[in-house]
Each structure stands twice: as C-alpha cells, then as structure tokens.
Amino acid sequence: MIEKSIVKSLVETWLEGKDYFLVDIEISQDNKIVVEIDHADGVWIEDCVELSKFIEDHLDRDKEDFELEVGSAGLGQPFKVPQQYLNFIGKEVEVLSADGKKTKGVLKSVDGRDFIVTTQEKIKPEGKKRPVLTDVDKAFNMDEVKYTKYIISFK
C-alpha cells in the first residue's frame, strides 16, 4: 500500500509558492488515492490536472499500481481544515455541535481552532412587550463540533 506520508510530501512540494492548501488525503486498501485541495477563490480544473500529473510522475506504477483522484473540497461538504474556516468568514454556515444541536448563522471570526458564529434570535428586551430579532455571537471550537459547513444560497 502506498504510504499517505509520501503522497502528502508530494502534494506539499507541489503546493509551495501557490495559494492552494491541502484539505485531505485518503488512501484505500486497494490504493485508491483521493487528494482534496482548496483555494480562497475556488479550484481550477487545470490545477487539479497539473497536481495529478505531478503525483503520478513521482510514484512508481511498476512498484505499486494505484488509482488517483485529485479534486476540490466540495462546497457543501463539512470543513476539514482551519483554512476553510478562514475562507468562509462573513458567509452563512451551519454548525452541528457535539450535543447534536444545529446552529445557523454568519461565520464572524476564527482564532486558532476557535470560531464565532453570529445568529439571530428573538429576545424580549426588558420593558418591551414583544421579542426583537437580535444578533447573538456563539463560540465554538473546531475539535468540539461534529461539523461546520457552508450553506449554499441561491439568492
């Protein structure tokens, strides 16, 4: 089986000097290699082809046969690395907390592995009869949520 560390090293070499970043590498028992990359402005198919050729040129098919797939991290897929959080600041996201509660709101900020989502909640101000929609900041840690993903909007 091809080692993940070898593929990761090849990808990191190709990424040097580029604005792309590595999201994930998966290698199955039958040597199917799936590499996901991302970029703040989206991923170009030509770059996926270039990375695929680079990896193929540096692996020996005579030693071990493999299947290779290089692509972008899917838009509606859960975030896997902190850079994805940074790229979606100001965008609407959905967070599923460890206790199973979903929160939808705007990703306000990211600090290390902590992030804040601004939601709108009806809160009754003191002395008022009716609740008012109010922005509420909710803090999360990337390691303590089941997932965070971008909400695709066609508005």
Side-chain angles (χ1 to χ4, degrees):
M1 188 165 133
I2 295 172
E3 290 192 36
K4 188 174 184 175
S5 61
I6 293 170
V7 177
K8 184 177 182 188
S9 175
L10 290 172
V11 172
E12 287 173 345
T13 300
W14 184 84
L15 291 173
E16 284 178 19
K18 295 177 178 73
D19 290 331
Y20 282 96
F21 59 93
L22 177 63
V23 174
D24 195 21
I25 296 173
E26 291 181 14
I27 303 176
S28 67
Q29 294 288 37
D30 58 348
N31 274 346
K32 179 178 180 179
I33 304 167
V34 178
V35 177
E36 289 182 3
I37 57 172
D38 208 349
H39 186 284
D41 298 326
V43 176
W44 294 92
I45 187 71
E46 295 84 3
D47 292 325
C48 291
V49 170
E50 184 182 317
L51 175 56
S52 180
K53 286 180 181 175
F54 182 83
I55 294 169
E56 283 199 35
D57 289 346
H58 290 84
L59 293 178
D60 187 355
R61 282 198 186 270
D62 292 333
K63 254 190 201 177
E64 273 190 280
D65 194 28
F66 60 89
E67 179 183 345
L68 177 62
E69 183 181 309
V70 176
S72 65
L75 249 188
Q77 298 300 310
F79 299 163
K80 295 179 180 177
V81 295
Q83 184 64 44
Q84 289 176 293
Y85 286 82
L86 292 169
N87 287 351
F88 285 95
I89 290 176
K91 307 283 190 213
E92 192 170 10
V93 296
E94 177 181 276
V95 179
L96 181 62
S97 64
D99 63 3
K101 185 177 180 208
K102 282 186 183 176
T103 301
K104 290 183 182 181
V106 175
L107 183 57
K108 181 178 181 179
S109 64
V110 179
D111 182 16
R113 298 197 63 80
D114 296 319
F115 63 100
I116 294 176
V117 174
T118 302
T119 63
Q120 288 204 321
E121 296 180 9
K122 287 185 178 182
I123 297 177
K124 186 177 172 188
E126 197 172 313
K128 300 282 184 177
K129 291 183 180 183
R130 295 182 181 250
V132 177
L133 269 181
T134 307
D135 286 347
V136 176
D137 287 347
K138 298 193 176 201
F140 298 94
N141 181 283
M142 293 174 200
D143 300 319
E144 297 170 2
V145 298
K146 290 185 180 178
Y147 70 73
T148 302
K149 63 185 178 180
Y150 171 65
I151 297 176
I152 300 169
S153 174
F154 297 103
K155 294 178 186 176

